[in-house]
Amino acid sequence: MKCRTLSTALAAIFVITLSSSAYAQRGQRGAPPPEPPAAEQRGFGRANTPTFAGPPAGMQALPLDLFTSKNFYKDRDLWSDQRYFRCNTPRQITDVWTSGRIKDNPPKSASWGDCKIDYPREKILSPYPYKTAKEHYEALLAEANKAGGPTVYTKATVPDWDGWYTRDGSYASSQWTWGTVNQVRTILSLLTPEYQKRMVQMNYHEGVNNSPQWNASFCYPEGFMRWWSEASSGGNFQLMMNPDQVQFMSGIAANFFRQVLIGRQHVQKVPQWYGETIGFWNGTTLVTWTANVQAWTLSHSMFEYSDKLETIETFKPAINNGRFVGIDHEAVFYDPEAFIAPLHLTMRFNRVGTLDNPTRRYTYIECLSNLRNVNGRPNQLTAADPRYIDYYGRPWAQNWEKYFEVGWDKPDDDLPAAVLDVLDKLDGKKK
């Protein structure tokens, strides 16, 4: 190894860095996102996507639909017909190009989905009589007061829910927020006219123009409601609790940091990406109210929501044979600007580990992307593009050297000893 040249060493370091870079960025950005766990592919998920070259038996195509329209804005009267979207779910529309279902004469040749797949609209609407999140929260607080609460815990008595959680896959067939179980028209029927228009706009440009504006691709913020989307893995979290705060940490392309402030009031004046959440305990049930949310989008080909979005959530212990096994979660979504009525969702989160696990870690996510919109569509930039950022190659120094140090004489410094030691060990393994 004594005779190794500087160029050889640099080449070896380049290979190591490139491999590390590819590994670090895999799963954090790009299209399509990673597949969900097998358990989450049950029901009407992306696995075994029903595909028909033409309308399924008993279904007649419309003369004009999403994939043949030149201006979807003029087709509003057709949006309530599932055939306008060729019976595809929102998720199938966003995946129609990456899954190969667009076929050989796009976009007119786009495949059909199963027209029988849908999740009942009445099960998505909230079963509660409350018109606002404030009214809902105050009613639940009154219940707690009536029972002698709210419950105040100490460090010694706070429920022991700390640990690692994952979504219960048996709920996959009811998760309408994933965009995999509904006809597009059903989701549209829950939205106000303006937000119907925005959703169809997303469907059209992702499904027809192959211009998917996926949050993870561009390292956009996830946004509050994406905690309930499938690909974000927001529901697979680390939970930590004390008498004053309950914290959820999760993510796959970016970090979700949800913090419940026990016994507090809302004080935020500026909308936050994950809102501001307050809560109280009623026995072993945690009740939360999230408000002051930044307007954003739920997920690929799904809807946008406004900064009026608020949620009331309850978290209850799931007990099996006297043993705590997870959390039963209920969420009610209030957004008078985007939704025609409050919406509702339930899920179970299974505890799969406790915080004393000796090997499990939460890895903070840094989303690094060289995907940029070029002529309206996302493209992966190469090093030849001036907008390309070599995140693992001292990009700050590269900028100085490009603009301020051109033509300078630079010393041929030796590589750092630590790096040479690593290369010596690699060479030793080869002998």
Side-chain angles (χ1 to χ4, degrees):
M1 196 65 185
K2 302 272 187 194
C3 62
R4 178 185 56 237
T5 64
L6 181 61
S7 60
T8 301
L10 288 173
I13 292 173
F14 175 77
V15 172
I16 294 170
T17 304
L18 183 61
S19 300
S20 300
S21 172
Y23 177 80
Q25 296 184 45
R26 184 173 15 197
Q28 295 185 10
R29 56 172 174 76
E35 287 294 325
E40 292 187 2
Q41 294 185 19
R42 284 188 278 178
F44 307 121
R46 282 179 281 168
N48 303 315
T49 299
T51 295
F52 302 87
M59 191 66 60
Q60 183 176 356
L62 293 174
L64 179 72
D65 65 23
L66 184 78
F67 298 97
T68 57
S69 177
K70 300 299 183 184
N71 186 342
F72 65 88
Y73 293 110
K74 296 182 178 181
D75 304 336
R76 180 178 285 275
D77 290 344
L78 299 176
W79 296 352
S80 59
D81 192 320
Q82 63 185 355
R83 295 175 296 171
Y84 182 78
F85 305 95
R86 300 192 182 180
C87 294
N88 285 290
T89 66
R91 184 72 222 192
Q92 288 169 346
I93 290 179
T94 202
D95 285 339
V96 71
W97 289 82
T98 57
S99 66
R101 296 178 64 248
I102 196 67
K103 301 304 179 182
D104 56 3
N105 186 29
K108 296 180 180 180
S109 55
S111 300
W112 282 65
D114 189 340
C115 300
K116 297 178 181 178
I117 287 179
D118 208 2
Y119 184 71
R121 179 179 185 272
E122 59 270 21
K123 289 188 177 182
I124 302 176
L125 293 170
S126 171
Y128 301 110
Y130 313 113
K131 302 299 183 183
T132 68
K134 183 176 186 293
E135 179 188 359
H136 193 167
Y137 190 76
E138 289 177 346
L140 295 179
L141 185 57
E143 288 181 11
N145 288 329
K146 187 176 181 180
T151 306
V152 177
Y153 287 110
T154 66
K155 285 188 176 182
T157 62
V158 67
D160 181 16
W161 293 1
D162 288 359
W164 302 89
Y165 290 79
T166 188
R167 295 158 167 158
D168 189 322
S170 67
Y171 284 69
S173 59
S174 66
Q175 300 306 294
W176 56 267
T177 54
W178 293 1
T180 60
V181 301
N182 282 106
Q183 297 293 319
V184 174
R185 69 167 183 182
T186 302
I187 300 299
L188 289 176
S189 74
L190 305 168
L191 308 179
T192 60
E194 171 62 24
Y195 283 78
Q196 288 180 350
K197 181 181 68 177
R198 295 183 184 191
M199 180 173 171
V200 176
Q201 180 187 39
M202 184 176 289
N203 290 168
Y204 184 87
H205 293 297
E206 292 199 350
V208 175
N209 287 327
N210 191 23
S211 179
Q213 303 298 298
W214 297 4
N215 292 11
S217 298
F218 303 103
C219 290
Y220 292 162
E222 290 282 28
F224 174 65
M225 202 167 175
R226 277 184 58 77
W227 195 79
W228 283 269
S229 74
E230 180 182 18
S232 74
S233 286
N236 301 324
F237 52 80
Q238 180 198 79
L239 175 64
M240 294 182 290
M241 310 171 63
N242 66 46
D244 299 308
Q245 297 182 6
V246 178
Q247 295 184 2
F248 301 80
M249 292 195 301
S250 57
I252 191 169
N255 299 283
F256 288 95
F257 180 69
R258 299 194 61 194
Q259 183 182 66
V260 182
L261 304 175
I262 305 299
R264 312 287 180 81
Q265 301 296 318
H266 288 297
V267 299
Q268 288 284 3
K269 303 300 182 184
V270 178
Q272 306 294 306
W273 284 112
Y274 302 124
E276 178 190 32
T277 305
I278 62 174
F280 64 87
W281 288 97
N282 184 2
T284 58
T285 296
L286 176 64
V287 179
T288 72
W289 175 13
T290 299
N292 304 318
V293 171
Q294 172 62 44
W296 201 235
T297 178
L298 166 59
S299 189
H300 319 314
S301 281
M302 286 290 278
F303 53 78
E304 297 180 28
Y305 53 87
S306 80
D307 59 7
K308 304 297 190 297
L309 176 72
E310 299 183 17
T311 63
I312 300 299
E313 300 169 60
T314 59
F315 301 82
K316 300 180 180 181
I319 306 297
N320 185 14
N321 293 326
R323 185 174 65 91
F324 175 83
V325 295
I327 298 172
D328 286 325
H329 175 248
E330 180 181 49
V332 180
F333 305 91
Y334 295 88
D335 188 339
E337 185 172 315
F339 309 151
I340 62 168
L343 309 181
H344 178 258
L345 187 68
T346 60
M347 169 59 80
R348 172 171 288 184
F349 302 106
N350 297 320
R351 185 161 70 173
V352 294
T354 52
L355 295 184
D356 59 359
N357 186 305
T359 59
R360 191 154 189 174
R361 304 287 185 273
Y362 181 80
T363 302
Y364 190 83
I365 300 163
E366 294 288 353
C367 189
L368 310 173
S369 177
N370 272 300
L371 281 156
R372 301 287 187 274
N373 279 308
V374 179
N375 297 322
R377 293 186 177 89
N379 280 269
Q380 175 71 51
L381 302 184
T382 67
D385 193 294
R387 294 172 295 173
Y388 179 86
I389 301 173
D390 181 5
Y391 293 99
Y392 297 95
R394 302 178 65 235
W396 52 90
Q398 292 178 22
N399 182 71
W400 296 327
E401 291 165 7
K402 178 179 178 180
Y403 291 101
F404 304 111
E405 298 181 11
V406 176
W408 286 21
D409 291 329
K410 300 177 183 178
D412 293 328
D413 293 333
D414 290 332
L415 290 173
V419 173
L420 296 178
D421 289 343
V422 170
L423 294 173
D424 281 336
K425 291 179 181 178
L426 290 174
D427 275 4
K429 290 180 179 179
K430 295 177 182 179
K431 293 178 182 178

